[in-house]
Amino acid sequence: MASNFDFLTGEFLPFREDAAEAERHALTAPRTCAFYARRVLEKTVKWLYACDPGLRMPYQDNLAALIHELEFQKLVAPSRLFSQIKLIHKGGNQAVHSDIRLRQIDGIQLTRAVHHLLSWTVRMYARPAGTVVAVPPFNDALLQEPLNQAKEADKTAAELKRLQEGFRVKDDEFAAAQERLAASQGEIDRLRAEIRQIKEANEQRLGAVSFAESEAQTRDLFIDVLLREAGWDPDGEHVREYEVQEMPTAKGVGFVDYVLWGDNGLPLAVVEAKRTKKDPREGKRQGELYADCLEKITGQRPVIYYTNGYESWL
């Protein structure tokens, strides 16, 4: 069966199995999908640190430390890939360390994020230098629910932790294989010099990419994940698209992207979403108007947040 990850061949083949598992579970088992997406991220990031001459392993080598290292963020900044990386990281952590419900849309978005990450990696580091790798755009039609068979039940956080333990031997073998590729310091230096030339030749063809073209996609891709991580339910009552009156529009009606309510029924905050290409502060006036309306209704003025999923402002 065709997969969105058929482009992973040669030295990138080790990433394909976990990526295909994320894809296979996207529609029916989003928590399991998130687990495999995080495995892909961790493998890819560690591969980058091993191969890219501009990256040096920080004092702490856990995934959170690696992706927040300044040089790593500089590396992925031109492609605006960091928001995708955060999405995978947070989704994977939620799957393994919490009982937060993940939805089908989360599985789809995480699989798309894995595709963005791996397609960037392949196009950036394909050998020899200047190689043009054809990576087809992500195709939702290749995400298919199983037919004529029982759907596989999504795994619990406890089950995913046990599965993670079972992968330790395989992960150790992957790490050992990377070490064998650079068995001596001379080989390490040669490979790093080669990678530097490859990057210089390939990155000229890679421009900035916007992963969320609309406000709705920004919400699905990023904000919902962050809200759930902070303990809010983005699907809760009166949270999304909350209607307010007396807006300075023809109809006098507005819809707040998100309202976060306190236990006393008063608004604590509003969140105004913009697509990734836009500066989140472009929604400043709109957020202020929403806050004005809520203050008139409730007597309490909420804090205003503006975000495009990539940057946020208070």
Side-chain angles (χ1 to χ4, degrees):
M1 181 180 293
S3 165
N4 281 292
F5 299 100
D6 286 341
F7 67 90
L8 295 169
T9 59
E11 65 181 309
F12 302 104
L13 190 60
F15 303 113
R16 185 168 170 175
E17 181 180 356
D18 288 321
E21 284 296 304
E23 180 182 47
R24 185 169 74 87
H25 291 95
L27 297 183
T28 57
R31 183 181 294 273
T32 305
C33 169
F35 169 81
Y36 281 104
R38 190 187 187 283
R39 279 184 56 77
V40 174
L41 174 62
E42 187 156 15
K43 274 187 175 180
T44 305
V45 169
K46 288 186 175 180
W47 183 89
L48 290 171
Y49 271 88
C51 297
D52 193 296
L55 298 177
R56 290 290 183 270
M57 191 66 71
Y59 176 73
Q60 291 184 310
D61 62 356
N62 60 71
L63 183 56
L66 296 179
I67 66 175
H68 286 95
E69 187 71 12
L70 180 59
E71 291 305 317
F72 180 84
Q73 293 194 36
K74 288 181 180 178
L75 171 66
V76 300
S79 63
R80 305 200 72 173
L81 191 63
F82 189 62
S83 55
Q84 300 288 289
I85 289 171
K86 288 195 298 182
L87 177 71
I88 299 171
H89 184 227
K90 290 180 181 297
N93 285 349
Q94 288 177 358
V96 176
H97 300 299
S98 77
D99 293 321
I100 292 174
R101 182 180 68 88
L102 297 182
R103 307 160 300 163
Q104 186 181 83
I105 186 63
D106 297 315
I108 295 171
Q109 302 291 24
L110 284 166
T111 308
R112 287 175 181 161
V114 168
H115 185 269
H116 291 314
L117 170 65
L118 291 176
S119 63
W120 173 85
T121 302
V122 169
R123 288 181 293 141
M124 178 69 86
Y125 294 94
R127 308 185 197 203
T131 298
V132 178
V133 179
V135 179
F138 189 84
N139 184 359
D140 285 344
L142 295 179
L143 302 177
Q144 298 181 10
E145 296 192 27
L147 300 175
N148 302 320
Q149 63 184 44
K151 293 182 180 180
E152 182 178 338
D154 207 353
K155 297 186 183 299
T156 65
E159 289 172 332
L160 290 177
K161 286 181 181 178
R162 289 194 292 270
L163 183 60
Q164 186 170 278
E165 287 296 321
F167 277 123
R168 290 200 182 279
V169 172
K170 181 181 288 190
D171 292 343
D172 289 344
E173 290 175 351
F174 176 78
Q178 297 302 307
E179 291 177 2
R180 286 195 296 272
L181 289 176
S184 67
Q185 187 59 48
E187 180 68 1
I188 292 173
D189 294 340
R190 185 191 68 77
L191 287 173
R192 285 184 176 274
E194 181 182 355
I195 289 291
R196 184 179 291 108
Q197 292 178 340
I198 289 169
K199 280 180 58 184
E200 290 175 355
N202 292 347
E203 67 185 351
Q204 295 178 6
R205 301 192 310 275
L206 298 179
V209 178
S210 178
F211 295 112
E213 296 296 339
S214 68
E215 293 176 17
Q217 287 175 310
T218 300
R219 295 195 291 269
D220 286 338
L221 276 170
F222 310 112
I223 302 175
D224 287 6
V225 174
L226 295 171
L227 288 176
R228 285 197 293 272
E229 183 183 48
W232 299 96
D233 180 5
D235 297 313
E237 188 176 9
H238 304 313
V239 174
R240 292 181 197 265
E241 298 295 331
Y242 184 75
E243 182 177 330
V244 293
Q245 303 291 330
E246 298 185 33
M247 288 286 288
T249 62
K251 295 184 178 180
V253 177
F255 295 89
V256 190
D257 289 334
Y258 298 86
V259 181
L260 306 182
W261 301 90
D263 292 336
N264 59 1
L266 298 177
L268 298 176
V270 298
V271 181
E272 176 64 15
K274 291 298 177 186
R275 59 181 179 172
T276 55
K277 286 182 177 179
K278 288 184 174 289
D279 187 320
R281 288 169 291 185
E282 288 186 21
K284 184 174 186 296
R285 180 56 183 159
Q286 192 170 2
E288 290 173 347
L289 292 172
Y290 289 149
D292 291 343
C293 292
L294 286 166
E295 186 176 14
K296 289 179 182 178
I297 297 168
T298 66
Q300 176 166 296
R301 185 172 184 80
V303 175
I304 309 167
Y305 290 93
Y306 317 95
T307 183
N308 60 6
Y310 191 73
E311 300 175 280
S312 297
W313 294 86
L314 178 62

